Amino acid sequence: MGIKRQAWTDNKNSRATETTSGLNRRQFLRRIGVSAGTAVLASQGISQALAASPIESGNNSQLTKDDLPTSLLEGHLSSQMSQEALTQVGCITPTIETRLFASSNVGGSDERNQLALDRVACAGFKVENPAITNRQYLRFAGTDSQRASDFQNLATGAIAAPKLLLGVRGGYGAMRILPMVDWATLGRIMKERGTILAGFSDVTAIQCALLAKGSMSSLAAPMLYSEFGKTAPDKVSCQQFVEVLTNPNLVINISDASVTSSSLPSILTSAEPKTITGTIWGGNLSVVSALAGSEYLPRIDGGIVFLEDVGEQAYRIERMLYDLYLAGIFKGQQAIVFGALSGAGEDSYDKRYDVATVIRQLHELTGLPIYSGMPFGHIGKKYSFPLGAACQISADTVGGYQLVFTNYPIIKADAIQVKGLWQTA
């Protein structure tokens, strides 16, 4: 991939130990009758009934645990495992207050959701609302009102803002709920609490609205179902997720453009590249272009636009870029950064018309320097980074470039055991 990074080292303060007694992590949890993801409810009756997987039809709304006041649930959704039990399976006690949000597609596999919940708990994230992984309405992870409530309940104060808001998965549906959330108030509350929102793909709509209305940063990062629920999560993606969560001065070095296109230079510019500093924003190209002209697309003076996508042919990529160009979105920006444009394929009319051709055309249109090869998007190895934060880009001496990110909330490193994110079932 041509990415140069400092070697990631295990946390020196980690309290984890290796699995003992011949049991793996999941076997041990089952032996003691505890699920680290959904935990054990301390009471039966209504709590047990609400744990069921609700599927909504029409206007008939079924309650989930998220509909209950926080006070009724406090203590019931956390893991009942002791520190001694956790360390025996290579886990640490989950202490990082975490809430999930499911703004888009429904999760397709209960087993995969549970595996992901087990892993994040093992890594130190105390998930307060695991039941939302069971929600479904049509193709979505709940009705529009349910999915909007993942955010609006925090904005109104009905539920206290956590340290981490972790997306379940992408797909489609986030745009439907944008008018239903008070993003300005949510952004203010998140700033006061130091809350971190993490996700990508369709979650770009949430991230753009949060930045445009609430002036709040977020993380372009892996999500619960799509990464941590894999049979074998990518270790680099997991490590870099923890890196951006814990490092207040994230640095990423790029040496080539192969993640975007092997036919491009890392830096496409008509002049000697200069060091630039601005707010980096954007995300998935399909979503960003769909928001053009709306109040939910950020207006960042002197910004740096980041774009990635998957499964879009070159002509469709160019069409969306022209949407942004004709809408004046690139005016006043300092640069464009491209991540992965995966699965673009070949043009059926002329194979020479490819991603590189499209990006060169964009450079001619805008006159902006274009940096390609950012290792993030719908690819195996994702290097998470902040959106809506300060970013400095500078060229190196061998044709590559460096990005340095600052001014975003973080979590204490000793609260996370990164190996928990890829523990096998």
Side-chain angles (χ1 to χ4, degrees):
M1 185 182 297
I3 305 153
K4 300 177 290 184
R5 289 294 304 270
Q6 272 189 319
W8 193 94
T9 57
D10 289 340
N11 192 318
K12 294 181 180 180
N13 296 322
S14 173
R15 291 166 286 175
T17 61
E18 297 298 323
T19 302
T20 60
S21 305
L23 298 179
N24 66 26
R25 177 183 53 85
R26 176 160 284 197
Q27 289 170 335
F28 187 86
L29 297 182
R30 288 172 177 164
R31 176 70 61 86
I32 64 175
V34 174
S35 165
T38 55
V40 176
L41 294 177
S43 62
Q44 302 298 315
I46 185 169
S47 295
Q48 185 175 16
L50 293 174
S53 173
I55 299 180
E56 300 198 353
S57 177
N59 293 324
N60 296 325
S61 178
Q62 290 182 271
L63 292 174
T64 67
K65 292 176 190 153
D66 283 348
D67 297 305
L68 290 175
T70 308
S71 59
L72 294 182
L73 295 175
E74 192 171 333
H76 297 328
L77 294 181
S78 11
S79 174
Q80 306 299 308
M81 297 180 72
S82 67
Q83 174 64 35
E84 180 181 359
L86 286 164
T87 54
Q88 287 190 65
V89 290
C91 302
I92 61 174
T93 302
T95 59
I96 301 167
E97 295 175 1
T98 302
R99 290 190 69 82
L100 304 176
F101 66 90
S103 55
S104 306
N105 279 15
V106 64
S109 165
D110 291 341
E111 183 176 351
R112 180 166 172 168
N113 279 324
Q114 185 58 56
L115 177 58
L117 288 165
D118 288 345
R119 282 173 171 154
V120 296
C122 183
F125 300 94
K126 184 180 179 182
V127 177
E128 299 170 352
N129 61 334
I132 76 165
T133 60
N134 296 322
R135 290 186 325 207
Q136 181 174 355
Y137 174 68
L138 301 177
R139 63 169 289 149
F140 306 110
T143 63
D144 289 355
S145 60
Q146 280 185 316
R147 290 180 291 119
S149 71
D150 293 346
F151 307 101
Q152 187 61 12
N153 282 341
L154 304 179
T156 62
I159 295 175
K163 185 59 182 175
L164 177 65
L165 276 169
L166 179 62
V168 175
R169 69 174 302 179
Y172 168 70
M175 290 183 67
R176 291 170 56 130
I177 69 172
L178 296 186
M180 304 172 69
V181 178
D182 182 352
W183 298 106
T185 300
L186 178 60
R188 175 181 57 79
I189 290 174
M190 289 176 64
K191 285 180 184 177
E192 293 172 354
R193 175 67 174 85
T195 300
I196 302 166
L197 183 144
F200 80 112
S201 192
D202 194 54
V203 174
T204 294
I206 304 299
Q207 295 169 311
C208 283
L210 188 59
L211 181 59
K213 296 283 193 176
S215 301
M216 184 60 195
S217 66
S218 60
L219 298 183
M223 295 181 286
L224 183 85
Y225 181 93
S226 53
E227 183 64 47
F228 306 129
K230 290 178 179 177
T231 302
D234 183 76
K235 292 184 180 181
V236 170
S237 296
C238 293
Q239 290 168 346
Q240 299 311 314
F241 175 60
V242 173
E243 178 76 4
V244 73
L245 284 175
T246 58
N247 186 349
N249 298 286
L250 181 72
V251 177
I252 300 178
N253 292 295
I254 311 298
S255 61
D256 64 62
S258 59
V259 169
T260 306
S261 170
S262 58
S263 300
L264 284 170
S266 297
I267 307 173
L268 191 59
T269 180
S270 56
E272 189 71 18
K274 299 178 180 179
T275 297
I276 59 175
T277 301
T279 299
I280 190 165
W281 66 279
N284 181 261
L285 173 59
S286 296
V287 178
V288 172
S289 65
L291 292 175
S294 78
E295 60 188 295
Y296 303 106
L297 190 69
R299 305 292 193 269
I300 307 293
D301 291 334
I304 299 167
V305 186
F306 168 77
L307 298 168
E308 61 83 21
D309 218 319
V310 61
E312 301 288 357
Q313 293 184 49
Y315 80 92
R316 293 177 61 87
I317 292 171
E318 183 171 270
R319 177 190 290 158
M320 291 184 284
L321 291 172
Y322 260 93
D323 284 345
L324 298 177
Y325 170 71
L326 294 173
I329 303 305
F330 295 123
K331 290 181 179 178
Q333 302 304 295
Q334 296 189 73
I336 303 169
V337 177
F338 278 101
L341 296 171
S342 313
E346 293 183 345
D347 186 80
S348 58
Y349 290 92
D350 194 321
K351 294 180 180 180
R352 295 172 297 177
Y353 180 71
D354 56 11
V355 166
T357 302
V358 168
I359 291 178
R360 291 181 187 278
Q361 171 71 2
L362 180 66
H363 173 60
E364 291 183 14
L365 280 174
T366 63
L368 295 174
I370 294 180
Y371 298 79
S372 297
M374 179 69 172
F376 190 84
H378 293 74
I379 52 177
K381 289 178 171 53
K382 301 175 184 66
Y383 280 61
S384 302
F385 67 96
L387 289 167
C391 176
Q392 181 184 87
I393 306 181
S394 55
D396 61 25
T397 59
V398 290
Y401 61 96
Q402 179 183 82
L403 303 97
V404 180
F405 303 88
T406 55
N407 194 27
Y408 53 92
I410 61 168
I411 294 170
K412 291 182 179 180
D414 61 5
I416 305 175
Q417 162 60 295
V418 65
K419 291 181 179 179
L421 295 174
W422 64 70
Q423 289 274 12
T424 57

